[in-house]
Amino acid sequence: MSGSNGLNVLVLGGSRHIGYHAAIRLLDSGARVTFLLRNPSSFDEDAVIQKYITSKKALLVKGDATVRSDMQRLWNVSTEEGSLSVDVVLCTIGFSGSPTFSLFKGLQITPPNLLTVSLLNLFSTMPSSSSPSPKIVVITATGVTPKSRSSAPLLLRPIYSYLIQGPLQDKLGAERIVHVLGGWKWEDGAPEPEGSRTLDEKWLEMEGMPRAGSVKGMVIVRPAMLNDGECLADKGQGEGAPYRVGEGEVGGWSVSRRDVAHFVFELVSDGEKWERYKDRQVSIAY
């Protein structure tokens, strides 16, 4: 492993779960991490984060990723107004608040395209002078496309196709953005995101948006059903990681958020691992 000492990292969705656990690993290894938080006070009682805030390794920017001006300010802070480059961007946004339930549409989130809009703002405000381009990791989910759902265990398929179909539309919109900007081939049989509700058809015309096919060095990570279990990778039992990672789909029932964070940390810290997976969509499961 080449290590992450000295990396300048920008994190969206880092107040909890995968983003939080990955950020802690990066901070522990010597990285500088800038968080965009709707409520920075959420870290007030967090002794681990406070230690890094005091040492100015962790920077907190108050803002909302769905607000373009807030995203621009995040880039400005993380680059110190252009004097630094960002090495890594982690986009681990899930959904905020409490979802509602529809008999016909399952769980619904507000806004319905939180991750999609956040990515649009991220890319359209990304400094064009960044060289080299940052490593960008976007967390979506298993079940986001028909092929992905068909690879999941049979009993989980109704959850993906019905119960969480709304949140998965948001993940689909995010994946479409990455595919277009990265010049990736769209999966055969995969639908387009649901119109303007998820991703406006004219999104490439947004001010500052990179041209199609111009953004290199991105990875989409689709975890299986997430849980709050411990990080099995830290236990070091047996050979290799306790989870399976592979391009496309690997199947599997579940994986802990902490183990996904472990993989994300290894991915952006290990040069060989990054070269293996960059510009690809991968899945992770036990």
Side-chain angles (χ1 to χ4, degrees):
M1 179 184 298
S2 60
S4 56
N5 185 43
L7 288 179
N8 189 20
V9 182
L10 184 158
V11 178
L12 304 177
S15 63
R16 56 181 182 164
H17 298 328
I18 296 170
Y20 175 83
H21 296 304
I24 294 299
R25 288 182 179 275
L26 286 159
L27 287 165
D28 286 345
S29 70
R32 176 183 186 262
V33 178
T34 305
F35 298 85
L36 181 66
L37 302 169
R38 292 182 180 180
N39 185 13
S41 64
S42 61
F43 285 158
D44 284 355
E45 305 302 320
D46 190 319
V48 176
I49 290 289
Q50 287 299 319
K51 174 181 66 175
Y52 290 114
I53 292 173
T54 299
S55 66
K56 298 184 178 180
K57 283 291 189 178
L59 306 176
L60 311 185
V61 177
K62 180 176 175 57
D64 186 331
T66 65
V67 177
R68 180 184 171 90
S69 59
D70 288 352
M71 189 70 76
Q72 183 66 71
R73 187 155 44 87
L74 175 66
W75 279 112
N76 291 342
V77 172
S78 61
T79 62
E80 294 188 356
E81 301 293 340
S83 63
L84 295 176
S85 61
V86 171
D87 302 301
V88 175
V89 176
L90 304 183
C91 188
T92 65
I93 293 172
F95 57 87
S96 59
S98 300
T100 58
F101 178 76
S102 165
L103 182 61
F104 298 103
K105 296 184 177 181
L107 295 177
Q108 300 293 296
I109 60 175
T110 303
N113 56 352
L114 173 61
L115 174 58
T116 301
V117 172
S118 299
L119 273 189
L120 290 175
N121 287 333
L122 175 77
F123 284 114
S124 65
T125 58
M126 183 168 65
S128 58
S129 59
S130 294
S131 181
S133 298
K135 300 174 180 176
I136 299 175
V137 179
V138 180
I139 305 295
T140 61
T142 292
V144 73
T145 66
K147 181 178 179 180
S148 180
R149 289 192 291 275
S150 68
S151 299
L154 184 62
L155 292 179
L156 289 181
R157 295 177 196 175
I159 295 177
Y160 294 127
S161 61
Y162 166 65
L163 186 62
I164 60 172
Q165 59 177 303
L168 286 181
Q169 268 294 317
D170 188 21
K171 307 294 188 186
L172 184 69
E175 290 202 4
R176 193 66 175 117
I177 292 169
V178 172
H179 276 73
V180 172
L181 293 183
W184 301 5
K185 182 181 182 297
W186 192 231
E187 182 180 294
D188 291 339
E192 293 291 332
E194 290 180 349
S196 59
R197 175 178 169 82
T198 303
L199 181 62
D200 189 279
E201 62 181 11
K202 295 184 178 180
W203 66 270
L204 268 173
E205 299 175 16
M206 284 182 65
E207 178 185 356
M209 187 64 67
R211 70 182 186 279
S214 67
V215 182
K216 305 303 178 185
M218 298 186 287
V219 176
I220 292 173
V221 179
R222 290 180 184 169
M225 197 65 66
L226 291 164
N227 64 59
D228 287 322
E230 60 188 337
C231 180
L232 300 182
D234 284 341
K235 290 181 170 293
Q237 297 177 351
E239 295 183 4
Y243 48 76
R244 295 174 294 119
V245 176
E247 186 174 355
E249 303 301 325
V250 297
W253 287 87
S254 66
V255 68
S256 80
R257 293 178 173 89
R258 288 175 174 81
D259 271 320
V260 177
H262 177 274
F263 169 69
V264 170
F265 170 73
E266 294 282 322
L267 176 65
V268 300
S269 302
D270 185 329
E272 291 184 5
K273 186 164 290 186
W274 180 257
E275 288 300 315
R276 177 181 177 185
Y277 292 119
K278 73 175 182 179
D279 299 315
R280 290 172 171 80
Q281 173 266 307
V282 301
S283 297
I284 178 172
Y286 293 138

